[in-house]
Amino acid sequence: QNDPEKKRNRMFEPRRAFLSIALAGVTNLGLAYASPPGFKRVRTQFIAALGDPNASSGTEASNWGIWPLDPGPRGVWLSDYNSLVKQPEAPSGWKFDINDWWLEEHGLIMEQPQFPLAPGRYLVTGGRLVTTALTVDASGGWKLDNGTLYDVTHLPCRAARYSPNEGNGSPATARRSDFPVTPGAEMPKVQGCDKQDYAVLFVIGLEDKAEL
């Protein structure tokens, strides 16, 4: 009756259902663009991006990262932070770093994305109207074939990176009442921490070098 794993799964059901609907929408919206030349479809990955939301190109991609797997279901609730204090490893195996930690929109502590985002071409979308190619070069430059960074940002997925300042903040100083975060809104500040918000982009295809 009190199986913690069953409880955890029930808590994630709304997020899983929402992402399933969102990703189904991505598929439906992108049917005409499902297999553009030079790309192969992949299981959805998630880019953490910085930059002007109204820009279609920039130079910040050396500071972008990528989650090969959805980090939300692999996360740890703020209410369970003490478990990471005792052992800084999440049940899914990732390591918690008190000096560089991440939160998502529901108040889940996430694993860090993989940095940096590798140069290449990615098929990206925000699950709305724009699905397009993103080109990232070795110098950190990035360019979208169509639309802006905002157009390919998935607004309901919010993500921010936190690091303690002189106030020595941590997930323990985050206010649980600040969650969930409204789609498109900034992530909450955490007392004693510096914060950097990131846009989240869905990656639904990667460059198919076999076609080049």
Side-chain angles (χ1 to χ4, degrees):
Q1 283 183 324
N2 296 316
D3 188 332
E5 185 61 28
K6 289 183 179 178
K7 179 181 178 182
R8 181 179 175 85
N9 287 338
R10 286 197 301 270
M11 295 174 78
F12 278 123
E13 282 174 2
R15 177 187 173 93
R16 286 170 176 160
F18 177 82
L19 279 178
S20 295
I21 293 169
L23 294 174
V26 168
T27 300
N28 291 333
L29 285 171
L31 282 177
Y33 206 72
S35 299
F39 285 96
K40 59 182 178 181
R41 293 301 295 265
V42 296
R43 181 177 179 177
T44 304
Q45 301 179 22
F46 306 84
I47 289 176
L50 296 172
D52 179 356
N54 296 313
S56 57
S57 63
T59 59
E60 304 92 347
S62 58
N63 295 314
W64 293 11
I66 189 166
W67 288 284
L69 300 173
D70 183 0
R74 295 165 54 82
V76 174
W77 293 102
L78 283 170
S79 58
D80 295 329
Y81 170 58
N82 283 338
S83 67
L84 290 177
V85 174
K86 295 175 183 177
Q87 180 177 340
E89 181 173 313
S92 55
W94 57 269
K95 304 288 187 180
F96 174 73
D97 182 353
I98 188 62
N99 294 308
D100 186 5
W101 53 277
W102 292 67
L103 279 178
E104 57 91 81
E105 70 275 7
H106 294 101
L108 282 158
I109 305 165
M110 298 188 292
E111 62 194 296
Q112 300 177 14
Q114 297 175 5
F115 287 101
L117 179 65
R121 281 173 59 79
Y122 302 82
L123 189 62
V124 297
T125 184
R128 290 175 286 145
L129 296 178
V130 177
T131 299
T132 191
L134 165 70
T135 302
V136 176
D137 65 37
S139 69
W142 63 272
K143 184 179 184 303
L144 295 168
D145 284 4
N146 296 290
T148 64
L149 187 58
Y150 175 83
D151 293 331
V152 293
T153 295
H154 188 245
L155 299 179
C157 287
R158 315 310 299 155
R161 186 179 194 175
Y162 298 84
S163 58
N165 54 34
E166 62 277 2
N168 292 319
S170 74
T173 59
R175 295 187 304 182
R176 297 178 207 167
S177 60
D178 288 338
F179 301 90
V181 177
T182 301
E186 286 191 13
M187 286 288 288
K189 294 180 180 179
V190 172
Q191 182 179 350
C193 288
D194 296 321
K195 173 180 73 87
Q196 174 66 66
D197 282 87
Y198 283 74
V200 177
L201 285 56
F202 289 167
V203 177
I204 60 172
L206 297 176
E207 186 174 35
D208 186 356
K209 296 183 178 179
E211 292 188 13
L212 300 180

